[in-house]
């Protein structure tokens, strides 16, 4: 079907071919944008998780620091532990807004890209179906022309002479 496809493509409207090439290019660019968008969403999600984990660890560090300082230096010590706990609380408080931002990015940025990619793929399926139909039409035309030529040849060809009668040897 390679030669058949070439002849169909040669008969194709140049504007249609340009639109087809544009769809292929658009699909490739949408794929790249979607991958980048997914990377961004995943990074923001990971940032939220890591910020929360950092906050929990800073809070635990503050507890340990305060206990250790009071043990070594007395009841007045422990200011550094309090500072670690404050940093930890602030980091933990950042987790939820960061994860919400990741959800917004997924909804407002990545989801439309996915939908656009689905539309382009549907258009490509239509292009493929059209090409298949054109190839079938071309095959049917070729078959019809062959049969027409065969019929014309049969109608206009001189009659074949009858076979010679058998001769007997006696």
């Amino acid at each position: 079907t390679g030669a058949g496809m070439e002849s169909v493509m040669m008969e194709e409207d140049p504007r249609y071919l340009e639109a087809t090439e544009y769809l292929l290019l658009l699909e490739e660019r949408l794929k790249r944008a979607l991958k980048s968008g997914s990377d961004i969403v995943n990074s923001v999600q990971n940032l939220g998780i890591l910020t929360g984990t950092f906050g929990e660890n800073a809070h635990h560090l503050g507890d340990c620091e305060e206990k250790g300082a009071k043990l070594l230096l007395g009841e007045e010590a422990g200011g550094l532990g309090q500072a670690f706990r404050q940093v930890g609380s602030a980091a933990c408080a950042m987790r939820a807004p960061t994860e919400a931002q990741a959800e917004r990015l997924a909804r407002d940025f990545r989801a439309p890209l996915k939908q656009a990619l689905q539309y382009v793929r549907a258009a490509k399926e239509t292009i493929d179906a059209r090409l298949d139909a054109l190839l079938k039409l071309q095959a049917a035309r070729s078959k019809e022309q062959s049969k027409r030529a065969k019929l014309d040849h049969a109608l206009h060809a001189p009659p074949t002479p009858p076979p010679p009668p058998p001769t007997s040897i006696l």
Side-chain angles (χ1 to χ4, degrees):
T1 58
M5 188 178 299
E6 285 178 19
S7 63
V8 167
M9 296 307 270
M10 289 174 61
E11 295 175 18
E12 195 63 79
D13 179 4
R15 291 178 301 170
Y16 181 79
L17 292 174
E18 285 177 24
T20 302
E21 287 178 28
Y22 169 74
L23 274 176
L24 293 173
L25 180 63
L26 182 60
E27 180 187 34
E28 196 56 41
R29 288 183 177 170
L30 280 170
K31 283 180 184 176
R32 279 192 241 138
L34 184 58
K35 183 183 180 328
S36 295
S38 293
D39 290 346
I40 290 168
V41 169
N42 291 339
S43 294
V44 173
Q45 281 176 329
N46 288 337
L47 177 63
I49 292 167
L50 292 172
T51 300
T53 303
F54 170 76
E56 291 167 4
N57 288 330
H59 201 276
H60 291 307
L61 179 62
D63 288 344
C64 289
E65 170 60 26
E66 188 171 334
K67 287 177 187 173
K70 284 184 179 183
L71 183 68
L72 294 174
L73 302 174
E75 286 300 314
E76 294 130 24
L80 185 58
Q82 182 63 29
F84 279 133
R85 279 198 303 281
Q86 287 175 350
V87 168
S89 294
C92 285
M94 292 296 298
R95 181 177 185 161
T98 305
E99 289 176 345
Q101 176 66 20
E103 289 174 17
R104 280 192 301 278
L105 282 171
R107 180 187 64 237
D108 298 341
F109 181 67
R110 187 174 55 185
L113 288 174
K114 281 183 177 180
Q115 188 174 23
L117 189 57
Q118 288 173 342
Y119 290 150
V120 168
R121 287 180 176 158
K124 280 181 53 188
E125 287 176 14
T126 303
I127 289 169
D128 290 345
R130 182 179 185 274
L131 181 60
D132 188 48
L134 288 174
L135 287 170
K136 288 178 181 176
L137 175 64
Q138 186 179 40
R141 282 181 181 164
S142 177
K143 191 174 180 180
E144 182 265 339
Q145 287 174 351
S146 174
K147 287 183 177 185
R148 185 176 300 276
K150 199 176 199 181
L151 178 63
D152 283 347
H153 178 70
L155 290 175
H156 300 330
T160 43
T167 54
S168 56
I169 304 178
L170 286 172

